[in-house]
Amino acid sequence: MPKFKIEKMRLSHLDDVMEIEEQCYGEHHWSRDSFVNEIDNSISEYFCAVNEEGKCIGYLGMWKIIDEAHITNFAVHPLFQKQGAGHFLIVKSIEKCYEDKIKYITLEVRVSNEKAQRIYEKFGFKSLGKRKHYYQDNGEDAIIMWTENIFNEKYKKLFDENKKFLEEITK
């Protein structure tokens, strides 16, 4: 059983979220006001992984527009990485996409962030191009990643396998 639960992001999570932002992104991170606006945004969906002490250890946010979702930000505190929280956040976001009849999920990821790219690839994201000089802090390129239609039987099978694997490793 994981030592955390996934829940909708609330204002009470923001102190922890801002700590994660600073730890993961340094001085080039989203502002607290940006997260406040996202929590209140009708097209946004934000989730937190919360440990047994009630501390948010990771989060994932996405915008839902018609039949597409765009993952806007995703991070797990460095002290809590490699414990499954990131995978469970992705699972929760995909489940929400199924619930809301969203067919495709997209995101941008730094070219240098191979660890994140591998996680996304496990969930069926594929590289479909680059955004040149996308990141303002250093001008690094972003890889654009997309899923195929998540209602496709091939994708559903991959997603079910990922969920089953997570359930088995957390028993």
Side-chain angles (χ1 to χ4, degrees), residues 103-138:
K103 296 178 185 173
Y104 304 97
I105 309 168
T106 185
L107 56 87
E108 289 91 10
V109 60
R110 287 180 186 269
V111 169
S112 64
N113 193 346
E114 294 175 5
K115 182 168 67 170
Q117 292 169 42
R118 285 192 302 274
I119 293 170
Y120 297 133
E121 287 167 355
K122 284 182 187 175
F123 285 91
F125 286 82
K126 293 179 174 56
S127 172
L128 293 180
K130 288 186 181 173
R131 295 196 197 282
K132 294 286 186 191
H133 314 294
Y134 182 76
Y135 292 97
Q136 294 176 354
D137 61 334
N138 64 0

Side-chain angles (χ1 to χ4, degrees), residues 1-2 82-84 87-88 162-171:
M1 191 101 176
K82 297 184 180 180
Q83 297 177 23
H87 286 79
F88 277 98
N162 276 313
K163 280 179 50 175
K164 185 176 180 179
F165 175 74
L166 285 174
E167 289 166 8
E168 287 174 7
I169 64 168
T170 55
K171 283 183 179 178

Side-chain angles (χ1 to χ4, degrees), residues 11-55:
L11 292 174
S12 60
H13 294 125
L14 290 187
D15 286 344
D16 295 335
V17 167
M18 295 315 300
E19 179 184 340
I20 296 166
E21 278 283 298
E22 192 172 306
Q23 289 287 320
C24 292
Y25 302 114
E27 62 187 58
H28 300 281
H29 61 74
W30 277 35
S31 69
R32 183 182 201 90
D33 286 342
S34 294
F35 283 101
V36 169
N37 291 335
E38 290 302 300
I39 290 171
D40 293 333
N41 185 342
S42 64
I43 67 166
S44 300
E45 202 71 56
Y46 274 70
F47 299 103
C48 289
V50 178
N51 69 12
E52 293 169 318
E53 290 79 42
K55 181 176 180 62

Side-chain angles (χ1 to χ4, degrees), residues 98 150-161:
Y98 278 123
I150 66 171
F151 290 91
N152 169 309
E153 287 305 316
K154 181 180 162 192
Y155 188 87
K156 283 182 180 179
K157 183 179 179 199
L158 173 70
F159 181 64
D160 288 343
E161 288 170 1

